[in-house]
Amino acid sequence: MNDPKLSYFEKEDILHLAISDEKEFGSVEVSPNITAELNEQGDLIGIEIIGTSAFLRDSILESTQAKLLQLSKK
């Protein structure tokens, strides 16, 4: 696979990033609701985020709050 493929499954609220079309051999939970998919050699071939809407909302809120705190300290 030359180009990564990003897929969003709205009903399940899952975001999947495939960076290779190799067969998944195993996976590692990176953090709650985030899984790294691995090939037989242990190389990263994909990432899956479960509960994507909440994950993105929380990430954006945290980043925004951090920026606002930095601005208020100036």
Side-chain angles (χ1 to χ4, degrees):
M1 173 182 288
N2 293 333
D3 296 317
K5 181 180 178 188
L6 190 62
S7 303
Y8 178 64
F9 304 95
E10 186 175 0
K11 184 177 178 183
E12 297 85 2
D13 195 23
I14 295 174
L15 184 69
H16 185 260
L17 171 62
I19 57 175
S20 172
D21 54 6
E22 295 176 70
K23 182 177 178 183
E24 181 182 338
F25 186 75
S27 62
V28 175
E29 186 176 22
V30 178
S31 65
N33 299 325
I34 301 177
T35 303
E37 300 168 341
L38 310 172
N39 66 10
E40 193 168 359
Q41 292 76 37
D43 298 325
L44 181 67
I45 60 169
I47 297 173
E48 182 177 79
I49 302 174
I50 299 170
T52 305
S53 299
F55 174 79
L56 290 175
R57 179 196 66 228
D58 294 346
S59 296
I60 291 168
L61 282 173
E62 287 174 13
S63 295
T64 303
Q65 289 172 343
K67 294 285 184 189
L68 289 173
L69 286 173
Q70 289 174 356
L71 290 174
S72 68
K73 290 181 182 179
K74 291 183 180 181

